[in-house]
């Protein structure tokens, strides 16, 4: 947004400069027309003189006026050429600034779209995370109930002592393995005695 504002300010400055130069061009053209009117007035003035005076006076004044006019025309043509060149350059600069403004706006739109997509992905991840946490809590709860049942079954065997403190998973497994081993030994002993 700052870049677009800067470009718009530059465009306004360039357009203002372009208007000023066009105004100066119109003023120079107006001065040229005024010179032409003055020349016509001089010509009209000579009409009231005698033929000989006319010719003499006209030659002197016309030469002087022609020199003056030629100088003015040369200067004005030079100024107009410079102004036309500057106008062309300013128009090129304005076109470039407009193109940059359009490019900047497109870039901002792309960034906004990318930001929306990222936000949408983040929301989807948050939702997935919440679902995962709920599933994890459910699994943890099932695991704790299952572990509690295993401990209860393991230490409810006759001759087992209730644990005095909270057992680790390894201690629970060790207790279960001990019961299994004892049962296997008992079965082997029964087989040796021939009992079913």
């Amino acid at each position: 947004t700052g870049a677009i504002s800067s470009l718009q300010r530059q465009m306004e400055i360039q357009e203002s400069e372009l208007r000023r130069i066009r105004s100066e061009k119109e003023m120079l053209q107006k001065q040229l027309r005024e010179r032409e009117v003055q020349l016509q007035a001089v010509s009209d003035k000579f009409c009231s003189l005698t033929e000989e005076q006319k010719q003499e006076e006209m030659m002197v004044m016309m030469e002087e006026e022609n020199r003056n006019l030629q100088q003015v025309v040369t200067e004005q043509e030079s100024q107009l050429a410079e102004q036309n060149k500057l106008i062309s350059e300013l128009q090129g600069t304005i076109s470039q600034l407009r193109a940059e403004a359009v490019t900047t706006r497109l870039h901002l739109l792309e960034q906004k779209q990318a930001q929306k997509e990222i936000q949408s992905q983040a929301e989807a991840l948050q939702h997935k995370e919440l679902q995962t946490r709920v599933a994890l809590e459910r699994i943890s709860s099932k695991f704790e109930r299952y572990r509690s049942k295993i401990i209860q079954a393991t230490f409810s065997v006759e001759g087992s002592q209730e644990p005095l403190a909270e057992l680790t998973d390894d201690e629970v497994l060790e207790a279960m393995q001990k019961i299994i081993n004892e049962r296997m030994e008992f079965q082997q002993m029964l087989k040796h005695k021939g009992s079913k």
Side-chain angles (χ1 to χ4, degrees):
T1 304
I4 290 175
S5 299
S6 177
L7 289 173
Q8 287 176 340
R9 282 198 297 273
Q10 291 181 30
M11 284 172 58
E12 290 171 0
I13 292 170
Q14 297 290 343
E15 288 174 348
S16 174
E17 183 70 12
L18 185 58
R19 287 194 295 271
R20 184 184 68 78
I21 291 172
R22 284 177 174 163
S23 175
E24 289 180 359
K25 178 181 175 182
E26 291 174 0
M27 185 179 69
L28 288 171
Q29 289 174 336
K30 182 180 177 183
Q31 290 176 357
L32 187 59
R33 287 194 296 271
E34 288 175 354
R35 290 287 184 178
E36 290 174 353
V37 171
Q38 290 175 1
L39 183 59
Q40 185 62 41
V42 170
S43 297
D44 294 341
K45 179 181 176 184
F46 285 143
C47 292
S48 62
L49 299 175
T50 62
E51 195 63 33
E52 191 177 342
Q53 288 175 331
K54 266 190 207 179
Q55 289 177 357
E56 253 181 70
E57 199 84 19
M58 185 177 291
M59 290 300 292
V60 173
M61 291 186 71
M62 285 289 285
E63 286 176 2
E64 182 67 25
E65 190 65 25
N66 279 341
R67 281 195 299 272
N68 292 337
L69 285 174
Q70 189 62 42
Q71 184 179 355
V72 170
V73 168
T74 302
E75 291 174 356
Q76 290 183 345
E77 284 178 346
S78 176
Q79 290 180 1
L80 285 173
E82 289 179 2
Q83 289 177 350
N84 284 332
K85 181 182 176 183
L86 185 55
I87 286 171
S88 177
E89 290 174 355
L90 288 172
Q91 286 175 335
T93 303
I94 288 171
S95 298
Q96 183 181 355
L97 289 172
R98 283 177 178 162
E100 288 178 5
V102 170
T103 303
T104 304
R105 286 194 184 102
L106 287 174
H107 186 57
L108 284 174
L109 286 174
E110 290 173 357
Q111 285 183 336
K112 286 182 180 178
Q113 185 64 31
Q115 187 176 1
K116 285 181 180 178
E117 290 177 2
I118 291 171
Q119 187 174 358
S120 177
Q121 290 175 1
E123 289 174 355
L125 287 173
Q126 286 177 348
H127 182 65
K128 192 171 182 180
E129 181 188 5
L130 180 61
Q131 289 179 330
T132 304
R133 284 183 179 176
V134 171
L136 181 61
E137 287 176 2
R138 191 164 52 246
I139 291 169
S140 297
S141 178
K142 285 182 178 179
F143 175 75
E144 286 299 325
R145 287 198 301 272
Y146 181 65
R147 187 175 183 274
S148 177
K149 287 180 180 179
I150 290 173
I151 293 171
Q152 186 179 359
T154 302
F155 291 96
S156 64
V157 176
E158 188 177 349
S160 297
Q161 292 182 352
E162 288 289 333
L164 299 176
E166 187 175 352
L167 296 173
T168 64
D169 292 341
D170 289 337
E171 289 172 339
V172 174
L173 288 173
E174 186 179 346
M176 288 178 65
Q177 189 64 48
K178 183 179 178 183
I179 293 171
I180 292 169
N181 292 337
E182 287 175 352
R183 287 188 177 181
M184 288 178 66
E185 289 173 3
F186 185 68
Q187 286 177 354
Q188 290 295 328
M189 190 172 62
L190 290 176
K191 283 181 181 178
H192 285 308
K193 291 186 177 183
S195 172
K196 293 182 181 179

